[in-house]
Amino acid sequence: MLNKTTQAPKEVGNRLVYLLSKNKESMPAQMEAELLVRAHFCFRLACSLSGCDMVQHMVKDRLPQYIRNRHFRLLLRILTGIKAYNELSYIFDALLV
């Protein structure tokens, strides 16, 4: 499995995004945050800017839900896991309010 993952990281990222979009309502927030981080890692490994951008948009869309449910540690996990601090600066803004 690991060998296939390293050979096709973009496909793994696409499958993770598919899981996220399909199970949006029923997935626990901690699992969702971890899958966002892992999907972004896969896209970054594959040098897929469109994939990275897609994950960042998914994070932005889910931000109000994380804040409403007070999942601040998960936001920090996403921020430190994705490591795109400039692109995710809106998370800093939300956490500082």
Side-chain angles (χ1 to χ4, degrees):
M1 173 75 176
L2 183 58
N3 191 24
K4 289 182 180 181
T5 302
T6 57
Q7 291 176 356
K10 185 176 180 181
E11 181 60 32
V12 174
N14 284 329
R15 289 181 185 194
L16 292 175
V17 166
Y18 174 76
L19 282 173
L20 283 162
S21 61
K22 184 177 179 184
N23 301 307
K24 189 187 309 188
E25 303 300 322
S26 62
M27 186 177 293
Q30 188 172 6
M31 182 185 295
E32 179 183 82
E34 197 59 39
L35 289 178
L36 286 165
V37 170
R38 303 289 171 115
H40 190 273
F41 174 77
C42 289
F43 288 128
R44 196 172 63 209
L45 193 62
C47 298
S48 173
L49 295 177
S50 61
C52 289
D53 192 49
M54 179 175 30
V55 172
Q56 291 170 14
H57 282 292
M58 292 174 83
V59 170
K60 192 169 190 173
D61 290 343
R62 288 167 167 75
L63 182 65
Q65 178 183 346
Y66 281 98
I67 291 174
R68 185 173 43 254
N69 295 324
R70 303 182 58 80
H71 292 306
F72 303 119
R73 287 181 188 249
L74 295 180
L75 286 174
L76 287 174
R77 171 65 185 124
I78 291 169
L79 189 61
T80 58
I82 291 179
K83 298 178 185 168
Y85 304 112
N86 288 334
E87 292 83 355
L88 299 175
S89 63
Y90 55 86
I91 293 179
F92 284 118
D93 296 337
L95 290 173
L96 293 174
V97 171

